[in-house]
Amino acid sequence: MQSLPEMPSHQALIGGAWIATRATLDVEAPSHGETISRIARCQAEEIDQAVEAARRAFSGRLGDWSRWTARRRSEWLLGFAAAIEADHERLSALECVDTGKPMTQARGDIASCARYFRFYGGAADKLHGETIPFENDFSVMTLREPFGVCAQIIPWNYPAQIFGRCVAAALAAGNTLVLKPAEDACLSVLRLAELAVENGLPEGVLNVVPGLGREAGAALAAHPHIDHLSFTGSPETGTLVAQAAAVHHVPITMELGGKSPQVVFADADMETASEAVVRGIIQNAGQTCSAGSRLLVQREAADRLLGRLVERFAALRCDAGEADADCGPLINARQKAKLEARLEAARADGIQTLAQGRLADGVPQGGHFVVPSILSEIPAGHEVLREELFGPVLAVQVFDDEAEALALANATDFGLCAGIWTRDGGRQLRLAKGIRSGQVFVNNYGAAGGIELPFGGVGRSGHGREKGFEGLRSYTRIKTVAIRHG
Ligand code: NAI
Ligand code: MG
């Protein structure tokens, strides 16, 4: 294994201090299977302390966070973006070794994280309420207020990007935070927390409590003193978290993944479409909520498109994150075993593997690699069409006309993203309106991460919106003030 980046504090950040926990968790490098560090294992006790620290920071004495003007928050966020950019190399190396993702993708993730702080830094002092015409003897206005203490439970697939998305927006709106990163990858988050402290974020405004989902995560979701909760992860865990938050009527945002279709018509630019289809499923080894995991192709173009894809997939190589190949490993042995079992079952059901990538020569032995593959001849309603496999697996279906394309695109309980590839303007609009999902991309997929673009799901993909200005509004609530002045 190549030399490791300097590790950040492995402790929990609570009330501005780094706190050791009795027990710790090992940090594994998924490209190698080796233990490279350890992190705190917070329990209910630390979660209590973190929530109370966030409360004090929110509604404490003069000079505390809630008294910071929007302009001051804006300036802090912009300064923090610059600090992330200055630490880019170390943060990228941490993200790469901790998640196993190829170095180029890790670098892109850190750049996106900084951009979130720039975007929300720029937006913080442009968020305001309204005045409402009412009776002549009244003046009515709305105040857009922060919730108070926001709890954030985030996953391991994009730790730094999701930190940026959630933390920048919540802070810009004036909230304080308790963030529970994922036990499988949180080194970049811990480094970002160190940078926030170094950059003078007041104590208690951001608290970071690493630990297990069933311990730290469950205690945070059930905490009676949080004012808002945002969760990104699996639909099953999302249900548990939402149930816990409902006990105290805590408002929630749920981002729960997808089974997003790429719909390619015969008149599409096949070269651009095929490249986007490949990237949309192999990025982060398919462990992406917005992965384009279903390919729907019009029958008359199927041979042309699949011919290209077979060639591209056969050339894909899996290797350790540092080697910066097409595809890294899955996050852990459990995710690899789960995916392999599903692929095995699919083959037993007669599903064909059209093409597969390969392991690079000299790939580390202990890594959790699964080579990219394309599946076809899939019976309607099969698991590989319904479930988020969270791996580099593209499931292909063929359609004849627009009506069938729309029906297949919508034949899912999820609804996060969709790609439509056609030159026909009317069809672009009909499908954009007809597809049941939070985002639709026409002749592109993902809009390069789209920090400025509202993002979120329908159905089993969750609810609420992050990213863009909409994401900022969703970390606020409206208070109506009606003044009768005679
Ligand atoms: P998960 O949904 O269990 O984990 C996400 C976060 O929730 C982590 O921080 C975890 O510690 C926390 N968590 C787990 N159990 C909790 C509980 N009872 N209460 C509160 N918080 C809890 O996802 P996991 O197990 O890591 O991955 C399993 C599957 O979830 C994947 O195969 C994938 O399908 C999906 N997933 C989707 C993601 C997305 O971006 N949409 C991200 C991660 C996982
Ligand atoms: Mg790890």
Side-chain angles (χ1 to χ4, degrees), residues 10 129 162 231 260 286:
H10 66 272
I162 298 177
F231 172 82
S260 299

Side-chain angles (χ1 to χ4, degrees), residues 15 22 153 174 230-231 329 345 358 430 449 468 471:
R22 273 187 299 279
I153 299 176
S230 71
F231 172 82
R358 288 219 321 262
R430 285 190 297 275

Side-chain angles (χ1 to χ4, degrees), residues 27-30 98-99 184-185 331:
V27 173
E28 186 198 41
D98 198 11
T99 65
D184 283 298
I331 191 72

Side-chain angles (χ1 to χ4, degrees), residues 1 10 16 35 45 55 57 64 70 87 163 178 228 247 277 322 334 347 355 395 419 430 433 438 467 469 474:
M1 187 165 176
H10 66 272
T35 298
E45 187 187 337
R55 277 239 82 75
D64 287 336
D87 203 52
F163 178 96
V178 179
H228 181 272
V247 172
V277 167
E322 317 80 90
R334 185 170 49 94
R347 284 179 198 121
R430 285 190 297 275
K433 289 180 180 172
K467 300 191 178 182
F469 223 84
S474 70

